[in-house]
Amino acid sequence: MTNYPYTFHQSPEQRRRIGARGGKAQARNRRHRLLTQAPVLQPMAVFPHPVAETTAEAIAALDAQFPWLRGVEKRTPLRRLQRWIAA
């Protein structure tokens, strides 16, 4: 008895060749299928470019909407922050 149980009496080399043939056929069929398909061109929607809002404008809009958050984008020096926490 061979060391290849349940392999239909084929050596590893024979099984490798069979697998290679199957892989080549699959690749060939896939290439053929992709080449025969007509490319579907979808109409592209043209969107106007939105007017870009600057950072300063965004901060001003947020300050107007939320006055209690005014100035939070500015960094405070660490000593000033420590004095504020200690107070």
Side-chain angles (χ1 to χ4, degrees):
M1 185 159 195
T2 63
N3 292 335
Y4 323 119
Y6 311 113
T7 59
F8 301 102
H9 307 293
Q10 295 168 345
S11 71
E13 180 62 24
Q14 289 171 325
R15 286 182 280 147
R16 187 198 64 75
R17 286 183 185 157
I18 291 170
R21 248 184 274 137
K24 289 176 186 174
Q26 181 181 10
R28 182 179 58 246
N29 293 338
R30 183 170 189 268
R31 282 193 303 269
H32 177 70
R33 189 172 52 249
L34 289 174
L35 288 174
T36 57
Q37 288 177 347
V40 179
L41 298 176
Q42 297 179 1
M44 294 182 59
V46 178
F47 296 107
H49 292 286
V51 178
E53 182 181 37
T54 65
T55 307
E57 290 171 345
I59 290 172
L62 287 173
D63 285 345
Q65 189 174 0
F66 306 105
W68 59 92
L69 294 177
R70 186 168 292 149
V72 294
E73 74 277 1
K74 297 176 186 168
R75 293 189 177 260
T76 57
L78 187 58
R79 288 183 184 165
R80 187 184 215 181
L81 185 63
Q82 287 173 347
R83 278 191 233 140
W84 183 78
I85 292 173

